[in-house]
Amino acid sequence: MQVPAPFEYERATSVDHAVSLLEKLGPEARIIAGGHSLLPMMKLRLATPEHLIDINDLTDLAYIREEGSEVRIGALARHRDVLESEVLADWFPIFAEAERMIADPVVRNRGTVGGSLCQADPAEDLSAVFSVLKAQLVIRGSGGERVVPMDDFQSGPYETAVGDAEMLVEIRVPVRPDGGSAYEKVERRAGDWAIVAAGAALWMDGGTIADAGIALAAVGSTTIHVARAEEALRGQAPSEELFAQAAGIAAEDCSPAADQRGPIDYKRHLAGELTNRALRRAAARALNQEV
């Protein structure tokens, strides 16, 4: 039987209380909500926190709402909330497509958006989605809040910009008209970590692409934001040739490693093919065509 190392347990009653506990207990304290990432690592002794701070009572962080030109998602929103959100469905179909392929209903019912992002697994789906959509992440500490772009949030595999006495509280996704988005993923079995996953979004201005977002999961030490492919798309008219070019750049710019899920060449091929598929479907949605 796999059993975690001994730890102390605290239950936070507010965000300020959670931050104060993090300050008091030091770097060996960890926040827990859904626990689907942290607890398995603790059972394997890959993580051995001395203190767990439970934030499940902080229901004021469990929201998804549109405010001005943004959709704001609280860190304690569950995967099921994201999957069922009408606000997200209206603006960003990519969320529901990604969420349907994350684990299983048990995990989606309890796992949180903030927990997934803070785990910073290179194969994690929502990190790729938020990278595609140019999200901003709000981190709170005793000195107040700071806002970090999604591209600066992951500092390495399983490492983030969240400091020892800080916590992620909100994700802000800009809302722009005339956009479309899509997510593609290949996995060995339903609910598994991705072999490769690709997300794409396009925003149109008349007949040309005003802006683009492309990100890959499971083909690098962090989520891969394919900025070079995005630049190749801007100002161009959508076409099969253009999307193939961008997909080729995505395949070149990722850094897959050979493992039990496949060799490097196979993963590069998937990165290009899935990017191409996601771009075609994102374009169809942006142009209000059938997908």
Side-chain angles (χ1 to χ4, degrees):
M1 180 181 296
Q2 296 171 335
V3 179
F7 60 88
E8 298 294 325
Y9 174 86
E10 299 273 0
R11 198 168 185 95
T13 57
S14 67
V15 173
D16 288 341
H17 184 212
V19 170
S20 69
L21 287 172
L22 288 169
E23 283 190 310
K24 171 186 173 183
L25 299 174
E28 295 306 316
R30 294 285 298 273
I31 285 175
I32 188 168
H36 290 290
S37 298
L38 179 58
L39 290 178
M41 294 183 70
M42 290 175 62
K43 289 180 179 179
L44 293 171
R45 304 292 177 103
L46 297 175
T48 56
E50 295 177 3
H51 307 272
L52 289 186
I53 301 170
D54 190 332
I55 63 168
N56 278 290
D57 287 345
L58 309 190
T59 55
D60 56 332
L61 293 183
Y63 58 84
I64 300 173
R65 58 179 179 249
E66 191 171 350
E67 292 189 19
S69 60
E70 297 175 324
V71 172
R72 298 191 175 190
I73 304 172
L76 208 61
R78 311 285 173 176
H79 289 290
R80 181 178 177 180
D81 299 331
V82 174
L83 178 60
E84 297 178 351
S85 168
E86 293 182 3
V87 171
L88 292 177
D90 288 343
W91 283 109
F92 310 112
I94 189 173
F95 277 108
E97 290 183 347
E99 285 288 2
R100 291 189 190 101
M101 294 184 281
I102 292 176
D104 53 39
V106 173
V107 171
R108 292 196 293 268
N109 284 344
R110 293 296 301 165
T112 64
V113 173
S116 292
L117 294 179
C118 289
Q119 179 68 7
D121 191 299
E124 198 273 315
D125 296 288
L126 285 187
S127 295
V129 172
F130 284 121
S131 180
V132 164
L133 299 175
K134 322 291 188 184
Q136 303 278 319
L137 282 68
V138 182
I139 299 170
R140 187 182 301 179
S142 60
E145 293 183 347
R146 58 192 180 96
V147 181
V148 177
M150 183 63 215
D151 286 347
D152 296 334
F153 184 71
Q154 293 182 349
S155 54
Y158 308 103
E159 297 178 352
T160 74
V162 180
D164 289 337
E166 294 182 320
M167 62 181 290
L168 174 65
V169 294
E170 184 179 75
I171 305 94
R172 299 172 179 173
V173 184
V175 169
R176 291 180 281 176
D178 302 317
S181 59
Y183 197 73
E184 295 280 347
K185 179 177 178 178
V186 170
E187 53 198 347
R188 292 189 299 179
R189 57 183 180 271
D192 198 4
W193 291 108
I195 298 174
V196 180
L202 297 174
W203 293 271
M204 304 300 297
D205 182 8
T208 61
I209 298 169
D211 198 6
I214 302 173
L216 303 169
V219 285
S221 59
T222 63
T223 299
I224 303 293
H225 171 208
V226 196
R228 197 162 65 96
E230 295 174 358
E231 185 60 33
L233 294 170
R234 294 188 184 102
Q236 305 296 316
S239 69
E240 292 291 334
E241 294 76 16
L242 181 66
F243 295 155
Q245 176 190 353
I249 294 172
E252 292 173 4
D253 287 3
C254 66
S255 303
D259 57 21
Q260 71 273 18
R261 290 182 168 87
I264 291 174
D265 288 348
Y266 171 61
K267 292 182 177 183
R268 281 196 189 278
H269 169 75
L270 280 182
E273 178 61 28
L274 297 182
T275 299
N276 199 338
R277 292 181 191 178
L279 283 170
R280 293 201 309 265
R281 294 200 300 112
R285 285 173 169 152
L287 296 169
N288 295 312
Q289 299 172 355
E290 289 295 325
V291 181

